[in-house]
Amino acid sequence: MSVARIINLPKMGDRRGNLSVIEENNHIPFKIERAFWIYDVPGGETRGGHAYKETEEIIVALSGSFDVVLDDGKERKVFSLNRSYYGLYVPKLMWREMVNFSTNSLALVLSSTPYDAADYIRDYEEFINIKR
Ligand code: TYD
């Protein structure tokens, strides 16, 4: 599957605990224009279910765990985010769903663009047609 991948972010650990870090254009391949976070997700709920025309993202499970299902129009792959130092890079034009949220999980999303509703593809058929 194209370039979607889990990036192992730096982890500085000592007896006081762990610290991880993300620098734009260094650990991740884009400039961060926006950060948002997803929390208080009820058990069994699904988030996402769309693609972006231009936006690239890094998704981090800051707390707890969840799975991100990525679909590039050809194949579907599940990435389990269960470590705070995993950053999932999601390129543009990738259908994405977030499932299996654990209790009290916290998802941080770093985005390459400011919010723009027009950048969303919310219809799977339309997504597949664009990918063709
Ligand atoms: P949405 O992207 O649909 O959530 P998810 O993909 O996790 O299911 O966003 C939910 C709502 O929040 C929707 O009404 C759009 C709004 N929103 C913003 O206003 N700004 C943002 O940066 C984001 C990501 C969403």
Side-chain angles (χ1 to χ4, degrees):
M1 170 176 289
S2 47
V3 286
R5 64 191 185 279
I6 287 182
I7 297 170
N8 269 310
L9 300 165
K11 175 184 164 202
M12 273 69 72
D14 60 38
R15 61 178 177 78
R16 301 166 302 160
N18 296 323
L19 182 154
S20 286
V21 59
I22 297 176
E23 290 175 354
E24 61 187 15
N25 294 325
N26 180 5
H27 307 114
I28 63 170
F30 60 79
K31 183 174 173 344
I32 300 165
E33 290 287 348
R34 173 170 51 128
F36 61 94
W37 45 102
I38 297 168
Y39 51 99
D40 290 347
V41 179
E45 199 53 74
T46 295
R47 307 276 321 196
H50 54 69
Y52 301 111
K53 293 172 195 161
E54 292 300 332
T55 299
E56 302 164 70
E57 289 180 331
I58 295 286
I59 305 177
V60 183
L62 286 184
S63 180
S65 63
F66 51 86
D67 296 334
V68 183
V69 185
L70 295 183
D71 176 344
D72 63 4
K74 289 199 185 106
E75 57 171 325
R76 211 161 246 251
K77 207 164 162 182
V78 180
F79 294 87
S80 292
L81 298 185
N82 51 17
R83 296 282 182 267
S84 300
Y85 55 86
Y86 286 171
L88 175 63
Y89 173 63
V90 184
K92 64 181 175 180
L93 287 176
M94 189 70 79
W95 192 264
R96 96 210 215 319
E97 278 172 19
M98 299 165 77
V99 298
N100 291 335
F101 286 87
S102 70
T103 307
N104 287 330
S105 56
L106 170 60
L108 172 70
V109 183
L110 303 175
S111 170
S112 68
T113 61
Y115 176 69
D116 177 6
D119 194 45
Y120 281 69
I121 306 165
R122 291 195 179 271
D123 181 68
Y124 188 74
E125 293 298 314
E126 184 190 345
F127 168 70
I128 292 297
N129 285 332
I130 290 171
K131 293 295 279 187
R132 273 209 192 101

